[in-house]
Amino acid sequence: MELPDLNQIQVQDLVQRHKLNWSNSQIEELITLVGGHPYLVRVALYEIARGRMTLENLQKIAPTQEGPYSDHLRRHWLNLQEDAELLTAVKQVMMANRPVDVGTTEAFKLRSMGLVKFQGNEVVPLCKLYRQYFGHRLGLKN
């Protein structure tokens, strides 16, 4: 089952449910980092609400092996490495500063993995976290 991305109001509601007193700019920072991806938002809020880290710390360590997303990111990385065409496509997406046409099949597969979102017939990274992590893994300068 595919869940739609959370919007700003839904993320704000979750922030309040986690008893966090955040400004709108902090909520926007979280959304910039993880998009509206329900799982990524949930992990972030859980870790912060438990006092394990701050939003600022999360932003620094999220795309690293130290971060709370390490297993999630590593699993995607391993899957990408098994398909040379997908790896090439994700590299194109992470290198570009604009939407990219990577081909219908690759775009669909990357979207199915939850790594990109469509803008028309082209794709962009779902969030800053993915651009940072995969960009680093691919040796790209961000």
Side-chain angles (χ1 to χ4, degrees):
M1 174 187 284
E2 184 177 332
L3 296 176
D5 286 346
L6 301 173
N7 63 35
Q8 175 128 2
I9 292 168
Q10 292 168 320
V11 172
Q12 185 173 9
D13 180 56
L14 288 173
V15 165
Q16 291 170 351
R17 289 174 188 261
H18 282 83
K19 304 204 183 323
L20 298 170
N21 187 20
W22 281 12
S23 67
N24 285 336
S25 67
Q26 288 173 301
I27 293 168
E28 289 171 16
E29 288 175 34
L30 178 62
I31 292 171
T32 297
L33 179 65
V34 299
H37 190 292
Y39 170 75
L40 300 178
V41 169
R42 174 70 178 111
V43 168
L45 295 178
Y46 176 79
E47 294 292 325
I48 293 168
R50 297 276 315 241
R52 294 182 181 166
M53 66 186 61
T54 63
L55 176 59
E56 294 76 22
N57 186 242
L58 175 69
Q59 290 171 313
K60 290 177 188 167
I61 68 168
T64 71
Q65 295 304 317
E66 181 184 0
Y69 303 117
S70 62
D71 290 340
H72 171 79
L73 295 168
R74 188 173 38 256
R75 185 174 53 254
H76 280 307
W77 178 242
L78 293 172
N79 287 333
L80 288 169
Q81 288 182 303
E82 292 178 3
D83 186 327
E85 291 167 355
L86 264 188
L87 196 57
T88 298
V90 84
K91 185 173 184 176
Q92 285 179 278
V93 173
M94 299 306 157
M95 283 176 42
N97 290 322
R98 57 176 175 64
V100 180
D101 183 354
V102 294
T104 304
T105 302
E106 286 73 19
F108 175 75
K109 286 180 181 179
L110 291 174
R111 173 63 187 102
S112 294
M113 291 173 73
L115 300 180
V116 301
K117 59 186 172 185
F118 279 98
Q119 287 189 359
N121 291 326
E122 299 173 322
V123 294
V124 296
L126 180 75
C127 59
K128 181 178 177 181
L129 172 66
Y130 291 161
R131 184 182 295 278
Q132 290 175 329
Y133 179 82
F134 295 113
H136 176 75
R137 289 281 173 217
L138 293 161
L140 305 174
K141 304 255 189 224
N142 288 343

